[in-house]
Amino acid sequence: QVQLVESGGGLVQPGGSLRLSCTTSTSFFSIFVMGWYRQAPGKQRELVATITSGGTINYADSVKGRFTISRDNAKRTVYLQMNGLESEDTAVYYCNAATLGGTRRDYWGQGTQVTVSS
């Protein structure tokens, strides 16, 4: 069982920055891909950014150039640096991890609220 704990959310003004963290209960060697998803009120959960065990990174078009996903293997932590935040970025952000042990298994954190408002 993989456990994920997110932190770093909060209230920020438009144009501001936040850094989200996701710490895992296991080493990254057992995880194929990790990512950040978000869900705004009344909307479906959507992918924000992913990073694979091989270092391949993908971003949603809406956050390219503003968000950066990274990881620290020793700390078992994945980060999402969010710059130039906009009101449209307001959502609950969830950390995701997927393993491949015969079949793909997905694990989710509890979520952290990000609110961008004046």
Side-chain angles (χ1 to χ4, degrees), residues 13-82:
Q13 292 186 330
S17 299
L18 286 173
R19 189 192 195 195
L20 306 183
S21 299
C22 174
T23 299
T24 73
S25 63
T26 187
S27 300
F28 284 140
F29 76 87
S30 65
I31 299 174
F32 171 64
V33 61
M34 295 193 67
W36 290 93
Y37 292 70
R38 66 187 182 187
Q39 187 168 22
K43 297 180 65 177
Q44 298 280 340
R45 187 173 299 186
E46 63 178 351
L47 186 148
V48 177
T50 60
I51 182 168
T52 71
S53 59
T56 300
I57 294 173
N58 287 299
Y59 296 102
D61 288 341
S62 60
V63 306
K64 287 181 179 177
R66 300 188 297 119
F67 291 10
T68 302
I69 189 170
S70 62
R71 67 189 179 199
D72 186 324
N73 291 347
K75 295 182 178 180
R76 296 178 291 137
T77 300
V78 172
Y79 304 97
L80 184 69
Q81 179 67 47
M82 305 185 294

Short mmCIF file of all heavy atoms in Angstrom, two decimals, residues 13-82:
data_model
loop_
_atom_site.label_atom_id
_atom_site.label_comp_id
_atom_site.label_asym_id
_atom_site.label_seq_id
_atom_site.Cartn_x
_atom_site.Cartn_y
_atom_site.Cartn_z
N GLN A 13 -2.76 35.68 -4.01
CA GLN A 13 -3.31 36.64 -4.96
C GLN A 13 -2.92 36.28 -6.39
O GLN A 13 -1.92 35.58 -6.60
CB GLN A 13 -2.81 38.05 -4.63
CG GLN A 13 -3.36 38.61 -3.34
CD GLN A 13 -2.96 40.05 -3.12
OE1 GLN A 13 -1.91 40.49 -3.57
NE2 GLN A 13 -3.81 40.80 -2.44
N PRO A 14 -3.70 36.72 -7.37
CA PRO A 14 -3.31 36.48 -8.76
C PRO A 14 -1.89 36.95 -9.04
O PRO A 14 -1.49 38.04 -8.61
CB PRO A 14 -4.34 37.28 -9.56
CG PRO A 14 -5.54 37.33 -8.67
CD PRO A 14 -4.98 37.43 -7.26
N GLY A 15 -1.13 36.14 -9.76
CA GLY A 15 0.26 36.43 -10.03
C GLY A 15 1.22 35.88 -9.00
O GLY A 15 2.44 35.92 -9.23
N GLY A 16 0.70 35.37 -7.90
CA GLY A 16 1.54 34.84 -6.84
C GLY A 16 2.00 33.43 -7.10
O GLY A 16 1.73 32.84 -8.16
N SER A 17 2.70 32.86 -6.11
CA SER A 17 3.29 31.53 -6.24
C SER A 17 2.99 30.68 -5.02
O SER A 17 2.83 31.18 -3.90
CB SER A 17 4.81 31.63 -6.41
OG SER A 17 5.16 32.35 -7.58
N LEU A 18 2.94 29.37 -5.25
CA LEU A 18 2.83 28.37 -4.20
C LEU A 18 3.66 27.16 -4.60
O LEU A 18 3.85 26.90 -5.79
CB LEU A 18 1.39 27.93 -3.96
CG LEU A 18 0.44 28.88 -3.24
CD1 LEU A 18 -0.98 28.31 -3.27
CD2 LEU A 18 0.88 29.10 -1.80
N ARG A 19 4.13 26.42 -3.60
CA ARG A 19 4.86 25.18 -3.84
C ARG A 19 4.17 24.05 -3.08
O ARG A 19 4.12 24.07 -1.85
CB ARG A 19 6.31 25.30 -3.38
CG ARG A 19 7.18 24.11 -3.80
CD ARG A 19 8.52 24.15 -3.08
NE ARG A 19 9.50 23.26 -3.68
CZ ARG A 19 10.64 22.89 -3.08
NH1 ARG A 19 10.93 23.35 -1.88
NH2 ARG A 19 11.47 22.08 -3.71
N LEU A 20 3.66 23.09 -3.82
CA LEU A 20 3.02 21.93 -3.24
C LEU A 20 4.01 20.79 -3.08
O LEU A 20 4.91 20.62 -3.91
CB LEU A 20 1.85 21.45 -4.11
CG LEU A 20 0.79 22.49 -4.47
CD1 LEU A 20 -0.34 21.83 -5.26
CD2 LEU A 20 0.24 23.17 -3.23
N SER A 21 3.84 20.00 -2.02
CA SER A 21 4.70 18.86 -1.76
C SER A 21 3.86 17.61 -1.58
O SER A 21 2.75 17.67 -1.04
CB SER A 21 5.54 19.08 -0.50
OG SER A 21 6.38 20.20 -0.63
N CYS A 22 4.38 16.48 -2.03
CA CYS A 22 3.74 15.19 -1.86
C CYS A 22 4.79 14.19 -1.42
O CYS A 22 5.72 13.90 -2.18
CB CYS A 22 3.08 14.74 -3.16
SG CYS A 22 2.40 13.06 -3.10
N THR A 23 4.64 13.67 -0.21
CA THR A 23 5.59 12.71 0.34
C THR A 23 4.98 11.31 0.31
O THR A 23 3.82 11.13 0.71
CB THR A 23 5.97 13.08 1.78
OG1 THR A 23 6.59 14.37 1.78
CG2 THR A 23 6.95 12.07 2.36
N THR A 24 5.75 10.33 -0.15
CA THR A 24 5.27 8.97 -0.30
C THR A 24 5.73 8.09 0.85
O THR A 24 6.69 8.39 1.56
CB THR A 24 5.73 8.35 -1.61
OG1 THR A 24 7.13 8.04 -1.53
CG2 THR A 24 5.51 9.30 -2.78
N SER A 25 5.04 6.96 1.03
CA SER A 25 5.38 6.00 2.06
C SER A 25 6.37 4.95 1.57
O SER A 25 6.77 4.08 2.34
CB SER A 25 4.12 5.30 2.56
OG SER A 25 3.50 4.56 1.53
N THR A 26 6.75 5.00 0.30
CA THR A 26 7.66 4.03 -0.28
C THR A 26 8.66 4.74 -1.17
O THR A 26 8.48 5.89 -1.56
CB THR A 26 6.89 2.96 -1.07
OG1 THR A 26 7.78 1.93 -1.49
CG2 THR A 26 6.24 3.58 -2.31
N SER A 27 9.73 4.03 -1.52
CA SER A 27 10.75 4.59 -2.39
C SER A 27 10.22 4.73 -3.82
O SER A 27 9.34 3.99 -4.25
CB SER A 27 12.00 3.72 -2.38
OG SER A 27 12.55 3.62 -1.09
N PHE A 28 10.81 5.66 -4.55
CA PHE A 28 10.37 5.90 -5.93
C PHE A 28 10.66 4.73 -6.86
O PHE A 28 10.07 4.65 -7.94
CB PHE A 28 11.02 7.16 -6.48
CG PHE A 28 10.42 8.43 -5.97
CD1 PHE A 28 11.23 9.51 -5.64
CD2 PHE A 28 9.05 8.57 -5.82
CE1 PHE A 28 10.69 10.70 -5.17
CE2 PHE A 28 8.50 9.75 -5.34
CZ PHE A 28 9.32 10.82 -5.02
N PHE A 29 11.55 3.82 -6.47
CA PHE A 29 11.88 2.70 -7.37
C PHE A 29 10.67 1.83 -7.66
O PHE A 29 10.62 1.15 -8.68
CB PHE A 29 13.01 1.85 -6.79
CG PHE A 29 12.60 0.94 -5.67
CD1 PHE A 29 12.11 -0.33 -5.92
CD2 PHE A 29 12.71 1.34 -4.35
CE1 PHE A 29 11.73 -1.18 -4.89
CE2 PHE A 29 12.35 0.51 -3.31
CZ PHE A 29 11.85 -0.75 -3.58
N SER A 30 9.69 1.84 -6.76
CA SER A 30 8.49 1.02 -6.94
C SER A 30 7.37 1.75 -7.66
O SER A 30 6.31 1.15 -7.90
CB SER A 30 7.99 0.54 -5.57
OG SER A 30 7.55 1.62 -4.78
N ILE A 31 7.56 3.01 -8.01
CA ILE A 31 6.52 3.83 -8.62
C ILE A 31 6.87 4.13 -10.07
O ILE A 31 7.97 4.58 -10.37
CB ILE A 31 6.33 5.14 -7.83
CG1 ILE A 31 5.91 4.82 -6.39
CG2 ILE A 31 5.32 6.05 -8.52
CD1 ILE A 31 5.82 6.03 -5.49
N PHE A 32 5.92 3.89 -10.96
CA PHE A 32 6.14 4.12 -12.39
C PHE A 32 5.99 5.59 -12.75
O PHE A 32 6.79 6.15 -13.48
CB PHE A 32 5.16 3.27 -13.20
CG PHE A 32 5.17 3.60 -14.67
CD1 PHE A 32 6.30 3.39 -15.44
CD2 PHE A 32 4.03 4.12 -15.28
CE1 PHE A 32 6.31 3.69 -16.79
CE2 PHE A 32 4.03 4.41 -16.63
CZ PHE A 32 5.16 4.20 -17.39
N VAL A 33 4.93 6.22 -12.23
CA VAL A 33 4.68 7.61 -12.55
C VAL A 33 4.01 8.30 -11.37
O VAL A 33 3.21 7.68 -10.65
CB VAL A 33 3.80 7.73 -13.82
CG1 VAL A 33 2.45 7.08 -13.63
CG2 VAL A 33 3.66 9.19 -14.24
N MET A 34 4.35 9.55 -11.16
CA MET A 34 3.67 10.37 -10.17
C MET A 34 3.18 11.64 -10.85
O MET A 34 3.75 12.08 -11.84
CB MET A 34 4.58 10.73 -9.00
CG MET A 34 5.01 9.53 -8.18
SD MET A 34 5.77 9.99 -6.60
CE MET A 34 4.34 10.69 -5.74
N GLY A 35 2.12 12.19 -10.31
CA GLY A 35 1.58 13.39 -10.92
C GLY A 35 0.69 14.17 -9.98
O GLY A 35 0.40 13.74 -8.85
N TRP A 36 0.31 15.32 -10.47
CA TRP A 36 -0.62 16.20 -9.78
C TRP A 36 -1.87 16.36 -10.62
O TRP A 36 -1.80 16.60 -11.83
CB TRP A 36 0.00 17.57 -9.51
CG TRP A 36 1.08 17.55 -8.48
CD1 TRP A 36 2.42 17.41 -8.68
CD2 TRP A 36 0.90 17.67 -7.07
NE1 TRP A 36 3.08 17.44 -7.48
CE2 TRP A 36 2.18 17.60 -6.48
CE3 TRP A 36 -0.21 17.83 -6.25
CZ2 TRP A 36 2.37 17.69 -5.09
CZ3 TRP A 36 -0.02 17.91 -4.88
CH2 TRP A 36 1.26 17.84 -4.32
N TYR A 37 -3.01 16.23 -9.97
CA TYR A 37 -4.31 16.47 -10.56
C TYR A 37 -5.02 17.54 -9.75
O TYR A 37 -4.65 17.80 -8.61
CB TYR A 37 -5.14 15.19 -10.59
CG TYR A 37 -4.63 14.12 -11.52
CD1 TYR A 37 -3.45 13.43 -11.24
CD2 TYR A 37 -5.33 13.79 -12.68
CE1 TYR A 37 -2.98 12.44 -12.10
CE2 TYR A 37 -4.87 12.80 -13.53
CZ TYR A 37 -3.69 12.13 -13.23
OH TYR A 37 -3.23 11.15 -14.09
N ARG A 38 -6.04 18.14 -10.34
CA ARG A 38 -6.81 19.13 -9.60
C ARG A 38 -8.28 19.02 -9.95
O ARG A 38 -8.65 18.57 -11.03
CB ARG A 38 -6.30 20.55 -9.89
CG ARG A 38 -6.52 21.03 -11.32
CD ARG A 38 -5.83 22.38 -11.53
NE ARG A 38 -6.04 22.90 -12.87
CZ ARG A 38 -5.45 23.99 -13.35
NH1 ARG A 38 -4.60 24.67 -12.58
NH2 ARG A 38 -5.70 24.39 -14.58
N GLN A 39 -9.11 19.45 -9.01
CA GLN A 39 -10.55 19.41 -9.21
C GLN A 39 -11.16 20.69 -8.64
O GLN A 39 -11.07 20.94 -7.44
CB GLN A 39 -11.17 18.19 -8.55
CG GLN A 39 -12.64 18.01 -8.85
CD GLN A 39 -13.16 16.65 -8.44
OE1 GLN A 39 -12.58 15.98 -7.59
NE2 GLN A 39 -14.25 16.23 -9.05
N ALA A 40 -11.77 21.47 -9.51
CA ALA A 40 -12.46 22.68 -9.11
C ALA A 40 -13.93 22.36 -8.87
O ALA A 40 -14.45 21.37 -9.38
CB ALA A 40 -12.33 23.76 -10.19
N PRO A 41 -14.63 23.19 -8.09
CA PRO A 41 -16.04 22.94 -7.82
C PRO A 41 -16.85 22.82 -9.11
O PRO A 41 -16.74 23.65 -10.01
CB PRO A 41 -16.47 24.17 -7.02
CG PRO A 41 -15.22 24.64 -6.35
CD PRO A 41 -14.13 24.38 -7.35
N GLY A 42 -17.64 21.76 -9.20
CA GLY A 42 -18.48 21.54 -10.36
C GLY A 42 -17.77 21.03 -11.59
O GLY A 42 -18.40 20.94 -12.66
N LYS A 43 -16.48 20.70 -11.49
CA LYS A 43 -15.72 20.25 -12.63
C LYS A 43 -15.12 18.87 -12.37
O LYS A 43 -14.99 18.43 -11.23
CB LYS A 43 -14.60 21.24 -12.97
CG LYS A 43 -15.08 22.62 -13.38
CD LYS A 43 -13.92 23.54 -13.71
CE LYS A 43 -13.15 23.05 -14.92
NZ LYS A 43 -12.05 24.00 -15.29
N GLN A 44 -14.74 18.19 -13.46
CA GLN A 44 -14.08 16.91 -13.36
C GLN A 44 -12.63 17.09 -12.90
O GLN A 44 -12.02 18.13 -13.13
CB GLN A 44 -14.10 16.19 -14.72
CG GLN A 44 -15.48 15.87 -15.25
CD GLN A 44 -16.06 14.64 -14.60
OE1 GLN A 44 -15.34 13.81 -14.04
NE2 GLN A 44 -17.37 14.49 -14.67
N ARG A 45 -12.09 16.06 -12.27
CA ARG A 45 -10.69 16.07 -11.92
C ARG A 45 -9.86 16.02 -13.20
O ARG A 45 -10.14 15.22 -14.11
CB ARG A 45 -10.36 14.89 -11.02
CG ARG A 45 -8.95 14.90 -10.47
CD ARG A 45 -8.72 13.79 -9.45
NE ARG A 45 -9.60 13.92 -8.29
CZ ARG A 45 -9.53 13.16 -7.21
NH1 ARG A 45 -8.61 12.21 -7.13
NH2 ARG A 45 -10.39 13.35 -6.21
N GLU A 46 -8.83 16.86 -13.29
CA GLU A 46 -8.02 16.94 -14.49
C GLU A 46 -6.54 16.84 -14.16
O GLU A 46 -6.09 17.23 -13.09
CB GLU A 46 -8.29 18.25 -15.24
CG GLU A 46 -7.91 19.50 -14.47
CD GLU A 46 -8.13 20.78 -15.25
OE1 GLU A 46 -8.42 20.70 -16.45
OE2 GLU A 46 -8.02 21.87 -14.65
N LEU A 47 -5.79 16.32 -15.11
CA LEU A 47 -4.34 16.18 -14.96
C LEU A 47 -3.67 17.54 -15.06
O LEU A 47 -4.02 18.35 -15.93
CB LEU A 47 -3.80 15.23 -16.03
CG LEU A 47 -2.32 14.85 -15.93
CD1 LEU A 47 -2.12 13.43 -16.45
CD2 LEU A 47 -1.46 15.81 -16.74
N VAL A 48 -2.70 17.78 -14.19
CA VAL A 48 -1.92 19.01 -14.21
C VAL A 48 -0.51 18.74 -14.73
O VAL A 48 -0.03 19.40 -15.65
CB VAL A 48 -1.85 19.66 -12.82
CG1 VAL A 48 -0.96 20.90 -12.85
CG2 VAL A 48 -3.25 20.02 -12.34
N ALA A 49 0.18 17.77 -14.14
CA ALA A 49 1.55 17.44 -14.52
C ALA A 49 1.88 16.04 -14.06
O ALA A 49 1.37 15.58 -13.04
CB ALA A 49 2.54 18.44 -13.93
N THR A 50 2.76 15.36 -14.80
CA THR A 50 3.23 14.03 -14.42
C THR A 50 4.73 13.92 -14.63
O THR A 50 5.30 14.63 -15.47
CB THR A 50 2.55 12.91 -15.23
OG1 THR A 50 2.83 13.08 -16.63
CG2 THR A 50 1.05 12.90 -15.01
N ILE A 51 5.35 13.02 -13.88
CA ILE A 51 6.77 12.71 -14.05
C ILE A 51 6.94 11.21 -13.88
O ILE A 51 6.50 10.63 -12.89
CB ILE A 51 7.66 13.51 -13.07
CG1 ILE A 51 9.14 13.20 -13.31
CG2 ILE A 51 7.25 13.27 -11.63
CD1 ILE A 51 10.07 14.17 -12.60
N THR A 52 7.57 10.54 -14.85
CA THR A 52 7.75 9.10 -14.82
C THR A 52 9.04 8.74 -14.10
O THR A 52 9.88 9.60 -13.81
CB THR A 52 7.79 8.51 -16.23
OG1 THR A 52 9.01 8.89 -16.88
CG2 THR A 52 6.60 8.97 -17.06
N SER A 53 9.20 7.44 -13.84
CA SER A 53 10.42 6.96 -13.20
C SER A 53 11.65 7.25 -14.05
O SER A 53 12.76 7.37 -13.51
CB SER A 53 10.32 5.46 -12.93
OG SER A 53 10.11 4.73 -14.13
N GLY A 54 11.48 7.36 -15.37
CA GLY A 54 12.58 7.69 -16.26
C GLY A 54 12.82 9.17 -16.43
O GLY A 54 13.74 9.55 -17.16
N GLY A 55 12.01 10.01 -15.79
CA GLY A 55 12.21 11.45 -15.85
C GLY A 55 11.41 12.18 -16.91
O GLY A 55 11.58 13.39 -17.07
N THR A 56 10.54 11.47 -17.61
CA THR A 56 9.71 12.12 -18.62
C THR A 56 8.63 12.96 -17.94
O THR A 56 7.92 12.47 -17.07
CB THR A 56 9.06 11.09 -19.55
OG1 THR A 56 10.09 10.34 -20.21
CG2 THR A 56 8.20 11.78 -20.59
N ILE A 57 8.50 14.20 -18.37
CA ILE A 57 7.57 15.15 -17.75
C ILE A 57 6.55 15.61 -18.78
O ILE A 57 6.90 15.90 -19.92
CB ILE A 57 8.32 16.36 -17.17
CG1 ILE A 57 9.22 15.92 -16.01
CG2 ILE A 57 7.35 17.44 -16.73
CD1 ILE A 57 10.11 17.01 -15.47
N ASN A 58 5.31 15.68 -18.36
CA ASN A 58 4.24 16.23 -19.18
C ASN A 58 3.43 17.22 -18.37
O ASN A 58 3.22 17.03 -17.17
CB ASN A 58 3.33 15.12 -19.70
CG ASN A 58 3.98 14.29 -20.78
OD1 ASN A 58 4.34 14.79 -21.83
ND2 ASN A 58 4.13 12.99 -20.52
N TYR A 59 2.97 18.28 -19.04
CA TYR A 59 2.14 19.30 -18.42
C TYR A 59 0.87 19.50 -19.22
O TYR A 59 0.84 19.36 -20.44
CB TYR A 59 2.86 20.65 -18.36
CG TYR A 59 4.10 20.68 -17.50
CD1 TYR A 59 5.36 20.63 -18.09
CD2 TYR A 59 4.01 20.79 -16.13
CE1 TYR A 59 6.50 20.67 -17.31
CE2 TYR A 59 5.15 20.84 -15.34
CZ TYR A 59 6.39 20.78 -15.94
OH TYR A 59 7.53 20.84 -15.16
N ALA A 60 -0.19 19.86 -18.50
CA ALA A 60 -1.37 20.33 -19.18
C ALA A 60 -1.05 21.64 -19.89
O ALA A 60 -0.25 22.45 -19.40
CB ALA A 60 -2.52 20.54 -18.19
N ASP A 61 -1.68 21.87 -21.04
CA ASP A 61 -1.40 23.09 -21.80
C ASP A 61 -1.66 24.35 -20.97
O ASP A 61 -0.96 25.36 -21.12
CB ASP A 61 -2.25 23.13 -23.06
CG ASP A 61 -1.80 22.13 -24.11
OD1 ASP A 61 -0.65 21.66 -24.02
OD2 ASP A 61 -2.59 21.82 -25.01
N SER A 62 -2.64 24.30 -20.10
CA SER A 62 -3.02 25.47 -19.34
C SER A 62 -1.98 25.91 -18.32
O SER A 62 -2.03 27.05 -17.84
CB SER A 62 -4.35 25.22 -18.62
OG SER A 62 -4.25 24.12 -17.73
N VAL A 63 -1.02 25.03 -17.97
CA VAL A 63 -0.04 25.37 -16.95
C VAL A 63 1.38 25.42 -17.50
O VAL A 63 2.31 25.76 -16.74
CB VAL A 63 -0.09 24.40 -15.76
CG1 VAL A 63 -1.51 24.32 -15.20
CG2 VAL A 63 0.42 23.01 -16.15
N LYS A 64 1.59 25.11 -18.76
CA LYS A 64 2.93 25.14 -19.34
C LYS A 64 3.54 26.53 -19.23
O LYS A 64 2.89 27.53 -19.52
CB LYS A 64 2.88 24.71 -20.81
CG LYS A 64 2.65 23.23 -21.01
CD LYS A 64 2.64 22.86 -22.49
CE LYS A 64 2.43 21.37 -22.69
NZ LYS A 64 2.35 21.00 -24.13
N GLY A 65 4.78 26.57 -18.79
CA GLY A 65 5.47 27.84 -18.61
C GLY A 65 5.25 28.48 -17.26
O GLY A 65 5.93 29.44 -16.93
N ARG A 66 4.30 27.97 -16.49
CA ARG A 66 4.00 28.52 -15.17
C ARG A 66 4.27 27.53 -14.04
O ARG A 66 4.71 27.94 -12.97
CB ARG A 66 2.55 28.98 -15.10
CG ARG A 66 2.18 30.05 -16.11
CD ARG A 66 0.78 30.60 -15.87
NE ARG A 66 -0.25 29.57 -16.02
CZ ARG A 66 -1.09 29.18 -15.06
NH1 ARG A 66 -1.04 29.77 -13.86
NH2 ARG A 66 -2.01 28.25 -15.29
N PHE A 67 3.99 26.25 -14.27
CA PHE A 67 4.16 25.22 -13.25
C PHE A 67 5.36 24.35 -13.56
O PHE A 67 5.67 24.10 -14.73
CB PHE A 67 2.92 24.32 -13.17
CG PHE A 67 1.68 24.98 -12.63
CD1 PHE A 67 1.61 26.34 -12.43
CD2 PHE A 67 0.57 24.20 -12.33
CE1 PHE A 67 0.46 26.95 -11.94
CE2 PHE A 67 -0.58 24.79 -11.83
CZ PHE A 67 -0.64 26.16 -11.64
N THR A 68 6.02 23.84 -12.52
CA THR A 68 7.16 22.95 -12.67
C THR A 68 7.02 21.79 -11.70
O THR A 68 6.87 22.00 -10.49
CB THR A 68 8.49 23.67 -12.41
OG1 THR A 68 8.62 24.79 -13.29
CG2 THR A 68 9.66 22.72 -12.63
N ILE A 69 7.08 20.56 -12.21
CA ILE A 69 7.05 19.38 -11.37
C ILE A 69 8.48 18.87 -11.21
O ILE A 69 9.27 18.88 -12.15
CB ILE A 69 6.14 18.28 -11.96
CG1 ILE A 69 5.95 17.14 -10.96
CG2 ILE A 69 6.66 17.76 -13.29
CD1 ILE A 69 4.87 16.14 -11.36
N SER A 70 8.83 18.43 -10.00
CA SER A 70 10.16 17.93 -9.71
C SER A 70 10.07 16.91 -8.59
O SER A 70 9.02 16.74 -7.97
CB SER A 70 11.12 19.06 -9.35
OG SER A 70 10.69 19.73 -8.17
N ARG A 71 11.19 16.23 -8.32
CA ARG A 71 11.20 15.22 -7.27
C ARG A 71 12.53 15.19 -6.56
O ARG A 71 13.57 15.58 -7.10
CB ARG A 71 10.89 13.84 -7.86
CG ARG A 71 11.97 13.31 -8.80
CD ARG A 71 11.52 12.05 -9.52
NE ARG A 71 12.54 11.56 -10.43
CZ ARG A 71 12.32 10.73 -11.42
NH1 ARG A 71 11.08 10.28 -11.65
NH2 ARG A 71 13.32 10.34 -12.20
N ASP A 72 12.49 14.71 -5.32
CA ASP A 72 13.67 14.49 -4.50
C ASP A 72 13.59 13.04 -4.03
O ASP A 72 12.80 12.73 -3.13
CB ASP A 72 13.72 15.46 -3.33
CG ASP A 72 15.00 15.36 -2.52
OD1 ASP A 72 15.53 14.25 -2.36
OD2 ASP A 72 15.48 16.40 -2.04
N ASN A 73 14.38 12.17 -4.63
CA ASN A 73 14.29 10.75 -4.33
C ASN A 73 14.64 10.44 -2.87
O ASN A 73 14.02 9.59 -2.24
CB ASN A 73 15.20 9.95 -5.26
CG ASN A 73 14.72 9.95 -6.69
OD1 ASN A 73 13.59 10.33 -6.99
ND2 ASN A 73 15.58 9.51 -7.60
N ALA A 74 15.66 11.12 -2.34
CA ALA A 74 16.08 10.86 -0.97
C ALA A 74 14.98 11.20 0.02
O ALA A 74 14.81 10.52 1.04
CB ALA A 74 17.35 11.64 -0.65
N LYS A 75 14.24 12.28 -0.25
CA LYS A 75 13.16 12.69 0.63
C LYS A 75 11.83 12.04 0.28
O LYS A 75 10.84 12.28 0.97
CB LYS A 75 13.01 14.21 0.60
CG LYS A 75 14.20 14.96 1.15
CD LYS A 75 13.97 16.46 1.13
CE LYS A 75 15.14 17.20 1.72
NZ LYS A 75 14.93 18.67 1.70
N ARG A 76 11.82 11.25 -0.79
CA ARG A 76 10.60 10.58 -1.25
C ARG A 76 9.47 11.59 -1.46
O ARG A 76 8.33 11.36 -1.07
CB ARG A 76 10.17 9.49 -0.26
CG ARG A 76 11.18 8.36 -0.13
CD ARG A 76 10.72 7.34 0.91
NE ARG A 76 10.76 7.90 2.25
CZ ARG A 76 9.82 7.74 3.16
NH1 ARG A 76 8.74 7.03 2.88
NH2 ARG A 76 9.96 8.28 4.36
N THR A 77 9.81 12.69 -2.10
CA THR A 77 8.87 13.80 -2.24
C THR A 77 8.83 14.31 -3.67
O THR A 77 9.87 14.43 -4.32
CB THR A 77 9.26 14.95 -1.30
OG1 THR A 77 9.23 14.49 0.06
CG2 THR A 77 8.30 16.12 -1.44
N VAL A 78 7.63 14.60 -4.14
CA VAL A 78 7.41 15.25 -5.42
C VAL A 78 6.86 16.65 -5.16
O VAL A 78 6.03 16.83 -4.26
CB VAL A 78 6.44 14.44 -6.29
CG1 VAL A 78 6.05 15.23 -7.54
CG2 VAL A 78 7.08 13.12 -6.69
N TYR A 79 7.32 17.62 -5.94
CA TYR A 79 6.92 19.01 -5.76
C TYR A 79 6.20 19.53 -6.99
O TYR A 79 6.42 19.06 -8.11
CB TYR A 79 8.14 19.89 -5.51
CG TYR A 79 8.98 19.47 -4.33
CD1 TYR A 79 10.12 18.69 -4.51
CD2 TYR A 79 8.65 19.86 -3.04
CE1 TYR A 79 10.89 18.29 -3.44
CE2 TYR A 79 9.42 19.47 -1.96
CZ TYR A 79 10.54 18.69 -2.17
OH TYR A 79 11.31 18.31 -1.09
N LEU A 80 5.36 20.51 -6.78
CA LEU A 80 4.75 21.26 -7.86
C LEU A 80 4.92 22.74 -7.55
O LEU A 80 4.24 23.27 -6.67
CB LEU A 80 3.27 20.92 -8.04
CG LEU A 80 2.59 21.60 -9.23
CD1 LEU A 80 3.14 21.03 -10.55
CD2 LEU A 80 1.08 21.42 -9.17
N GLN A 81 5.85 23.39 -8.25
CA GLN A 81 6.06 24.82 -8.11
C GLN A 81 5.10 25.53 -9.04
O GLN A 81 5.13 25.30 -10.25
CB GLN A 81 7.50 25.19 -8.44
CG GLN A 81 7.80 26.67 -8.35
CD GLN A 81 7.71 27.20 -6.94
OE1 GLN A 81 8.26 26.60 -6.01
NE2 GLN A 81 7.02 28.31 -6.75
N MET A 82 4.26 26.38 -8.48
CA MET A 82 3.23 27.07 -9.24
C MET A 82 3.52 28.57 -9.20
O MET A 82 3.46 29.18 -8.14
CB MET A 82 1.84 26.77 -8.69
CG MET A 82 1.53 25.28 -8.61
SD MET A 82 -0.18 24.94 -8.09
CE MET A 82 -0.12 25.59 -6.41
#
